[in-house]
Amino acid sequence: MSATANGGASAPRPDAADLIHTRIWHETPEPDNPFATRHALCRGYDVYGQLVGRARWVEMLYLLLRDEAAAPSALDMLEALAVALANPGPRDASVHAAMCGAVGGSTAAASLIAALSVGAGRHGGARDVHDAMVLWQACGPDLPAWRRHLEAQADAPIDPWPRSARLPGFDPHGASTPTVVRQLLATLVTVGGDNGHGYTGWLLQQLDQLPALAGLPLAISGVAAAALCDLGLTPDEGEMLYLLLRLPGAAAHALEQKNGGFKRFPFYPVALSTPGEPPAQAAGVAGVAGVTSGMEPGAESGVNSGVHAGVAP
């Protein structure tokens, strides 16, 4: 038993039913305070004695998900992906949700929760990454097999997410694979070493044929899914990591817009239609690019607004 902070009676031993069982973390308490940590281990590594000041951020991320430290090439691949995902940009629906919360006076936590909620779905969001990773692992680099797998899932157990009528990891509203997606994929293959010879390597080889094979251009969520599979992560781990890695940009843009005030922020109207009626024109789509630094409003259509990360078009 551990002594209490005032040096009195020892703290009672917790009931076995109240214990948290984890392979990830082990703590030793201070002798004078059972609630203060004296020694912390992550997968057996001394966090404050070995990792802090020596380990990279992505090393800690990987170690939290895996029993052993990653190879240097895997860490380079994960770090490159983290940099690419750090800021989806102010036209991304999840970032826009965070900005709306901030300019409206919401707390920091509420703004980030808004970004997580909107960025969680199947339209470029974290669930899209999850679904793509499931198909990578089940079917490999065989897009016709992906389609057969999706058809077979029609009678699957109830899913809390709305069904998607397209292959995950591809952009249903895109015309061609964007330049930044091509650049990211090429970089991941280059820095990934042996990891880059898997799904990401196949994607790079097939990049010009993908629109014909999938019927849609590749999206950044598809590149992320391939890379996370190459890193040996499960779909659940990839989904969680994708949510986490996109938060810095949402936080930064929320803070920026909060400082500017709600009078300078464009709150777009929402146009709804009921089944059987002609779909209403997506309000606020044109000119969304005007929120990007250095662009005049209306300079180009913000076609990404309202269609990414779980927001229905």
Side-chain angles (χ1 to χ4, degrees):
M1 293 186 183
S2 301
T4 59
N6 60 11
S10 298
R13 184 179 296 276
D15 188 275
D18 296 329
L19 294 176
I20 296 174
H21 300 274
T22 174
R23 292 167 51 90
I24 302 171
W25 200 260
H26 177 76
E27 290 182 357
T28 302
E30 290 287 359
D32 60 348
N33 183 356
F35 302 102
T37 302
R38 179 182 181 85
H39 192 222
L41 300 178
C42 180
R43 308 285 189 184
Y45 292 91
D46 185 345
V47 176
Y48 295 91
Q50 290 179 289
L51 299 182
V52 173
R54 298 182 179 89
R56 295 153 64 182
W57 161 237
V58 290
E59 286 185 84
M60 188 62 177
L61 277 182
Y62 194 92
L63 198 59
L64 286 167
L65 298 173
R66 283 289 171 270
D67 286 337
E68 296 181 359
S73 59
L75 292 175
D76 292 340
M77 192 178 199
L78 179 57
E79 192 164 55
L81 180 63
V83 171
L85 298 180
N87 184 19
R91 290 188 294 172
D92 183 87
S94 66
V95 177
H96 194 267
M99 294 190 298
C100 287
V103 299
S106 297
T107 62
S111 295
L112 290 184
I113 289 171
L116 288 170
S117 299
V118 174
R122 280 185 161 142
H123 288 277
R127 196 62 182 181
D128 193 45
V129 172
H130 173 279
D131 293 346
M133 292 181 69
V134 168
L135 289 179
W136 277 121
Q137 294 182 354
C139 306
D142 184 352
L143 291 180
W146 285 27
R147 294 189 185 280
R148 293 192 298 270
H149 182 87
L150 287 177
E151 293 171 359
Q153 293 300 305
D155 298 325
I158 295 176
D159 189 334
W161 300 100
R163 285 187 57 81
S164 177
R166 60 171 179 83
L167 286 173
F170 294 87
D171 186 358
H173 302 279
S176 62
T177 300
T179 300
V180 294
V181 175
R182 292 173 175 270
Q183 290 175 322
L184 171 61
L185 182 56
T187 298
L188 292 175
V189 172
T190 299
V191 305
D194 292 339
N195 303 286
H197 296 161
Y199 300 127
T200 49
W202 180 84
L203 275 180
L204 185 61
Q205 293 174 0
Q206 302 294 325
L207 194 53
D208 291 332
Q209 288 75 38
L210 280 177
L213 292 173
L216 296 169
L218 184 65
I220 198 167
S221 58
V223 175
L228 292 168
C229 280
D230 283 343
L231 289 171
L233 301 182
T234 68
D236 286 342
E237 291 166 346
E239 180 181 20
M240 192 72 77
L241 198 56
Y242 192 77
L243 285 168
L244 172 65
L245 293 179
R246 285 160 48 96
L247 280 182
H253 284 292
L255 291 169
E256 179 187 49
Q257 297 303 317
K258 179 180 181 180
N259 292 334
F262 69 89
K263 292 183 179 180
R264 297 181 56 194
F265 187 76
F267 288 97
Y268 304 111
V270 177
L272 302 176
S273 62
T274 57
E277 293 182 352
Q281 183 177 359
V285 171
V288 177
V291 302
T292 304
S293 176
M295 284 188 181
E296 293 296 327
E300 64 179 44
S301 293
V303 294
N304 291 334
S305 178
V307 298
H308 279 222
V311 178

